[in-house]
Amino acid sequence: MFAPSLPNPSSLAPLLPWISPLFLIPLLCLFFIRSSSSKRETQGAATNNGPPVPGPPKQLPVLGNLLQLGSRPHRYFLAVAREYGTVVQVQLGRVRMVVVTSPEAAKEVLRTNDLQCCSRPNSPELRLGSGQDRGAQQHGQGFAFDLAGAVSSVSRSPANTLPVFAGDGNVAVAGADEAIAGAECAQIGEDATDLAAHGEAGARTLSYNFLDVAFGPYSDYWRDMRKLLVLELLSTRRVQSFAYARAAEVDRLVGSLSAAAAAGSLSTPVDLSEKLYALSDGIIGTVAFGKTYMSDSFDRSSFQGMMDETLRVLGSFTFEDFFPSSTLARCADFATGAAARRRRVFRKIDAFFDAVIDKHLEPERLAAGVQEDLVDALVKLWKDPDGPLALSRDNIKGILMDTFAGGIDTCAVTTIWIMSELMRNPRVMRKAQAEVRAVVRNNNDNNSRVNEEGVQRLKYLKMIVKENFRLHPPGTLLIPRETMQSCEIAGYSVDAGTRIHVNVWAMGRDPAIWDRPEEFCPERFEDSQVDFRGLHFELLPFGSGRRACPAVAMGVANVELVLANLLYCFDWELPDGVKEGDIDMEETGQLVFRKKVALLLVPVKRQ
Ligand code: HEM
């Protein structure tokens, strides 16, 4: 899952020297005229006979509400909702944003007006245009964005970048002797440089100019790519077929925790957060890259570092996000280093994807009886001239980017929050362990692990997962949508081109919806029909409607199997001197909100 590029003090910290009077004065001058004219427009709309616009909280000139957001915008928007109501419009630089904080308003955005609200921001034609119906502007097979053509035409990576994995013939990094490739590499390097130099924000760069699913504007192209992603990776059948990857990673995790348990004591806890991120990387890496990822020569830690960097860039603050089409904002991003960081990360990840794709192009690969992975399936489509989709190398990379950026953190973060809640609530932990151990005793012939079949019988564990999604949805505000047409939400008029967020984090803690909302009490779902798959608007960790997460089955499978095995194979203790109440539950993040402080626990192997 991905998220808004909202600023926060930590990401703003390196920028502070630039938000100096010297910088602000020209900025203020430049934007003042626009800002005041947009204010006049808003006020004008409010005095018309039509529905009013949602009232904005107090704003600074030019910056609007930008500096009020803080490091956890979902908390700021909750405070705003308490004061101004559950549909509020804020102004962030030049970006108009509506935030909704009630199930009724969420339903209006995600169901009643789903079609009007189902594009994503940052798409140049809507930003610059007049807000006409974007559904009519379809990409088709030719991919309308100008830059896409340039990037798509390039097929190799820069010659001297990224030896991510090496050895035993798995190497696929462009070398000095690849002269032709080198020329092409220089080209893609230029393209990437241009991209960044032109101030394109993180999502645009890293999604290959919106050739992916998550950030792409609503269009026929997006629909086709989403279908493809589901077909090749996320359908129930596919998710079941990847059970081997989950089982292998669970084995690896249990092995390493068992070793720690054998060696350790209460004074030497393990960093469970770190282990769960590595596991999540492993599952997604295996289903996407197959044997390549599993081979010993694959440098997992470099890859994980690169993905971390990618997520940081995707979620980090850039001036251009809030002052689109502004030369000054681009200069500011250049001056703060944001543009260079983006370029660096893009080059690395792009070269890496090229290397993996090249590896999958080797003709002897599938002949050797290798299990087909996601890249194999996509390469097959790319090479099939009669196939249903005219894919290019960059389309494949866009899909890979979604798979990694959307899949790794969300699953890891969810399991970490659950284990934290269980440690704070020993009653719930005991009940969950009793359930999983009874089910395995009764049903499993291999009683060293819980298998996927066993997981389906764990009713209480499933309630725990649900309760956790209520309190800790990884995407606190969902991924921003953008209206393609003006529409009415909860009696308010919302203009075309408005960014929309749904504060699912705040709804999960609303006492008007939930009894004792701050309590972690899975039993609240015992006799309840409420589920998290997008039909119940009070619980939306995966969103809802056309842009809902297409990976509910995979996300849930990854979390449940791992959790069941953590509870089955181990008892868990807090490190020496730490009490249940001491566990820090603060969240931090940009794209995905994770637990701020790593979860350190002591595993005790179950006898
Ligand atoms: C616990 C696991 C996960 C959670 C909580 C989660 C949550 C979300 C959320 C909140 C959205 C935005 C929905 C909206 O805007 O209405 C989203 C979108 C998306 N997620 Fe997930 N996600 C999870 C796992 C995954 C995985 C494993 C993948 C891929 C392997 C994935 C791929 C995507 C994609 C491609 C989108 C964009 C869909 C679109 O714009 O059409 N997610 N996810």
Side-chain angles (χ1 to χ4, degrees):
M1 109 84 277
F2 315 81
S5 315
L6 292 174
N8 59 59
S10 54
S11 61
L12 277 172
L15 309 178
L16 287 178
W18 302 99
I19 311 179
S20 64
L22 259 185
F23 177 74
L24 268 184
I25 290 163
L27 189 77
L28 285 166
C29 296
L30 208 79
F31 295 125
F32 184 72
I33 299 163
R34 272 208 192 224
S35 159
S36 48
S37 72
S38 75
K39 214 172 187 176
R40 274 198 300 278
E41 280 161 25
T42 307
Q43 284 160 356
T47 56
N48 280 345
N49 288 336
V53 293
K58 243 184 168 159
Q59 296 166 1
L60 291 171
V62 180
L63 297 173
N65 306 97
L66 203 50
L67 297 182
Q68 296 157 17
L69 288 177
S71 61
R72 294 174 292 186
H74 47 280
R75 287 182 185 261
Y76 165 70
F77 288 129
L78 171 61
V80 167
R82 285 191 178 134
E83 197 171 335
Y84 294 88
T86 55
V87 181
V88 176
Q89 180 169 301
V90 295
Q91 189 72 31
L92 303 175
R94 274 194 207 154
V95 170
R96 192 173 52 241
M97 180 185 282
V98 165
V99 184
V100 303
T101 316
S102 74
E104 298 73 28
K107 189 173 176 183
E108 292 210 26
V109 172
L110 303 173
R111 181 180 287 171
T112 318
N113 292 297
D114 187 19
L115 182 58
Q116 287 85 346
C117 301
C118 73
S119 204
R120 297 287 192 209
N122 260 340
S123 56
E125 71 271 46
L126 191 77
R127 187 197 292 156
L128 301 174
S130 58
Q132 65 212 357
D133 186 347
R134 184 124 43 96
Q137 303 172 347
Q138 289 155 354
H139 292 228
Q141 303 270 314
F143 310 144
F145 290 133
D146 48 356
L147 205 89
V151 176
S152 297
S153 66
V154 175
S155 62
R156 300 285 300 206
S157 52
N160 54 356
T161 48
L162 200 75
V164 169
F165 52 101
D168 84 350
N170 270 335
V171 191
V173 179
D177 53 340
E178 294 175 290
I180 300 168
E184 289 171 328
C185 294
Q187 173 67 44
I188 198 167
E190 288 305 315
D191 290 335
T193 312
D194 285 347
L195 200 61
H198 285 95
E200 308 296 351
R204 174 195 283 265
T205 309
L206 291 164
S207 65
Y208 290 82
N209 203 32
F210 304 121
L211 288 183
D212 75 328
V213 176
F215 295 109
Y218 181 69
S219 66
D220 279 354
Y221 171 76
W222 162 81
R223 202 178 299 111
D224 287 344
M225 290 303 270
R226 185 174 158 117
K227 269 191 214 146
L228 179 66
L229 183 63
V230 170
L231 189 72
E232 300 298 348
L233 186 72
L234 303 172
S235 67
T236 311
R237 193 177 58 82
R238 280 288 193 193
V239 172
Q240 282 166 357
S241 77
F242 297 138
Y244 74 94
R246 289 189 288 276
E249 288 302 317
V250 166
D251 266 354
R252 189 192 281 259
L253 174 71
V254 171
S256 111
L257 289 172
S258 300
S265 68
L266 288 186
S267 55
T268 52
V270 296
D271 182 342
L272 192 60
S273 298
E274 189 195 320
K275 291 202 179 290
L276 290 172
Y277 285 119
L279 170 133
S280 203
D281 266 322
I283 295 176
I284 300 288
T286 306
V287 301
F289 300 155
K291 192 168 167 264
T292 309
Y293 190 87
M294 289 182 283
S295 79
D296 291 340
S297 53
F298 187 95
D299 183 349
R300 282 176 170 222
S301 60
S302 298
F303 178 66
Q304 287 164 10
M306 199 161 55
M307 276 324 295
D308 275 356
E309 244 185 291
T310 303
L311 286 174
R312 264 200 304 279
V313 166
L314 272 172
S316 62
F317 175 88
T318 63
F319 282 101
E320 209 214 338
D321 281 335
F322 298 98
F323 298 99
S325 314
S326 151
T327 309
L328 192 56
R330 285 179 201 153
C331 293
D333 287 338
F334 177 76
T336 60
R341 209 163 35 247
R342 202 157 59 220
R343 184 171 62 236
R344 208 173 45 242
V345 168
F346 175 77
R347 278 186 169 157
K348 273 197 210 173
I349 199 90
D350 185 67
F352 174 78
F353 285 157
D354 269 324
V356 170
I357 292 171
D358 287 346
K359 186 74 208 150
H360 284 72
L361 285 171
E362 290 171 6
E364 66 276 15
R365 195 186 131 74
L366 287 179
V370 175
Q371 185 155 11
E372 190 177 283
D373 56 45
L374 176 66
V375 181
D376 285 317
L378 296 175
V379 163
K380 224 193 259 176
L381 275 171
W382 170 30
K383 295 293 167 192
D384 178 2
D386 305 321
L389 281 174
L391 288 191
S392 73
R393 197 178 257 262
D394 281 330
N395 300 132
I396 296 178
K397 293 177 192 170
I399 292 257
L400 291 177
M401 186 64 86
D402 278 350
T403 307
F404 283 97
I408 294 174
D409 266 25
T410 45
C411 296
V413 160
T414 300
T415 317
I416 294 164
W417 281 122
I418 294 176
M419 285 302 286
S420 310
E421 288 289 4
L422 293 182
M423 293 310 293
R424 279 157 42 94
N425 295 278
R427 177 194 68 80
V428 181
M429 171 71 99
R430 277 194 301 275
K431 193 167 164 183
Q433 284 182 314
E435 177 189 61
V436 68
R437 288 169 188 183
V439 162
V440 174
R441 211 171 25 247
N442 296 338
N443 298 305
N444 202 336
D445 43 15
N446 161 21
N447 68 3
S448 68
R449 299 279 187 278
V450 190
N451 61 25
E452 308 240 346
E453 226 189 324
V455 167
Q456 295 321 312
R457 300 192 185 93
L458 300 173
K459 289 209 175 75
Y460 192 60
L461 182 133
K462 285 173 184 288
M463 286 191 259
I464 289 175
V465 173
K466 222 186 250 190
E467 177 69 338
N468 184 73
F469 277 139
R470 178 181 72 79
L471 282 171
H472 307 287
T476 52
L477 294 166
L478 303 183
I479 303 178
R481 291 174 169 231
E482 192 172 86
T483 49
M484 297 190 292
Q485 295 168 324
S486 60
C487 57
E488 209 178 299
I489 291 166
Y492 290 112
S493 166
V494 175
D495 287 347
T498 303
R499 209 173 276 196
I500 304 206
H501 279 288
V502 180
N503 195 343
V504 295
W505 179 88
M507 291 195 299
R509 290 162 187 255
D510 185 348
I513 305 172
W514 309 97
D515 185 28
R516 289 170 291 134
E518 297 296 329
E519 232 172 79
F520 189 81
C521 178
E523 284 79 3
R524 71 175 77 241
F525 292 107
E526 195 134 40
D527 298 313
S528 156
Q529 297 300 310
V530 174
D531 190 33
F532 50 67
R533 280 156 219 273
L535 296 177
H536 300 96
F537 291 86
E538 61 273 50
L539 187 63
L540 294 171
F542 294 95
S544 179
R546 286 175 172 76
R547 297 309 290 241
C549 179
V552 182
M554 177 178 276
V556 171
N558 291 0
V559 169
E560 287 181 346
L561 186 74
V562 177
L563 180 63
N565 278 287
L566 289 177
L567 300 185
Y568 177 71
C569 299
F570 302 96
D571 292 320
W572 293 93
E573 306 278 350
L574 290 166
D576 255 350
V578 180
K579 307 248 176 328
E580 288 142 20
D582 297 338
I583 299 175
D584 184 291
M585 296 298 277
E586 214 177 306
E587 75 279 16
T588 185
Q590 287 160 336
L591 289 174
V592 168
F593 275 79
R594 48 171 79 181
K595 188 173 172 310
K596 187 172 179 182
V597 177
L599 181 62
L600 301 183
L601 294 180
V602 180
V604 179
K605 190 94 178 90
R606 187 183 66 95
Q607 296 310 316

